[in-house]
Amino acid sequence: MSKQLDYHTIREIFERFQEAQPEPEGELEHVNAYTLVVAVALSAQATDAGVNRATRGLFAVADTPQKMLDLGLEGVTEHIKTIGLYRQKAKNVMKLSQILVDEYGGEVPNSRAALQSLPGVGRKTANVVLNMWWGMPAQAVDTHIFRVGNRTGICPGKDVVAVERALEDHVPADFQNHAHHWLILHGRYHCKARKPMCPTCLIRDLCPYEDKTQ
């Protein structure tokens, strides 16, 4: 784990990210707040690409909580059976859809606490929805952000909550809305787990990672 970078270095890093990709976006396909919640919940221990393949057909017939309930557990299961842990995830989708219908009039709540009360929705999922749908500066820390944050010193921490707090505390306010997308994409395509692409890295000269690949 690298030491926390100073403010000016972090600002320079995010200025470079912004110049390279001014409007980074999440890669999970969705059509509304509800389908975003479902997609992110399904993405646990699965790839975004794999989730997208499964949800294209699912969301074509069930893009609201009530339509999902009408589809039924067997119907949902059939659509997402290519995703890891699909049986439990299908049950969670049905349960959260029922809660949204019964307690929220079929609408997705825009508070972290309410979102986290839904089955299969953890802090990361809640933060993704708050950020991507409502534009709140919530930081969703996944394995990519955890790795990049610690390697680079942008937001080091021993666990995801510590990394999340470091992001909130040290990333300049004007980069907060897109910060987690830039870091996810950097981790997914450049600062990879086993073979980070240091020679072509945008922030190579600012990164303290000792094991830079040659």
Side-chain angles (χ1 to χ4, degrees):
M1 183 168 70
S2 299
K3 292 182 179 180
Q4 177 69 56
L5 292 178
D6 63 79
Y7 172 84
H8 296 291
T9 303
I10 292 176
R11 169 163 283 283
E12 173 67 19
I13 285 171
F14 281 99
E15 285 176 349
R16 292 185 190 184
F17 284 155
Q18 184 179 57
E19 184 177 358
Q21 196 167 11
E23 295 291 333
E25 296 181 349
E27 297 183 322
L28 284 172
E29 297 173 7
H30 59 283
V31 296
N32 53 31
Y34 170 69
T35 54
L36 178 58
V37 170
V38 173
V40 181
L42 294 177
S43 71
Q45 295 179 286
T47 66
D48 287 1
V51 172
N52 289 339
R53 284 193 294 271
T55 57
R56 284 175 195 138
L58 176 62
F59 294 158
V61 295
D63 59 358
T64 69
Q66 188 58 58
K67 288 180 182 178
M68 196 70 74
L69 293 173
D70 293 342
L71 185 60
L73 179 60
E74 288 188 10
V76 174
T77 303
E78 183 64 25
H79 276 284
I80 68 169
K81 64 183 181 182
T82 55
I83 300 174
L85 307 175
Y86 69 95
R87 293 188 187 279
Q88 184 58 48
K89 289 179 179 178
K91 292 177 182 177
N92 285 339
V93 168
M94 295 300 289
K95 289 177 183 176
L96 72 84
S97 298
Q98 190 68 62
I99 291 172
L100 290 175
V101 168
D102 293 344
E103 300 182 19
Y104 298 97
E107 299 295 322
V108 174
N110 63 348
S111 83
R112 182 183 286 117
L115 286 167
Q116 284 189 248
S117 72
L118 300 173
V121 177
R123 188 179 183 87
K124 179 192 126 183
T125 299
N127 282 347
V128 170
V129 176
L130 292 174
N131 179 275
M132 289 182 62
W133 194 257
W134 282 289
M136 298 182 189
Q139 305 300 338
V141 178
D142 67 353
T143 55
H144 296 300
I145 292 183
F146 186 79
R147 178 176 66 255
V148 173
N150 279 292
R151 271 184 182 168
T152 62
I154 294 172
C155 49
K158 293 182 179 180
D159 54 44
V160 293
V161 175
V163 171
E164 181 183 326
R165 288 174 179 164
L167 269 172
E168 293 172 347
D169 290 344
H170 297 285
V171 173
D174 46 329
F175 298 118
Q176 284 279 335
N177 275 4
H178 290 321
H180 93 273
H181 281 135
W182 279 315
L183 293 174
I184 287 172
L185 294 171
H186 189 63
R188 184 173 291 161
Y189 298 111
H190 299 284
C191 195
K192 299 177 181 180
R194 295 183 180 178
K195 292 184 178 180
M197 301 166 66
C198 298
T200 58
C201 178
L202 193 66
I203 61 170
R204 177 183 173 88
D205 58 313
L206 302 174
C207 175
Y209 180 50
E210 293 180 357
D211 300 328
K212 284 191 174 80
T213 55
Q214 298 301 312

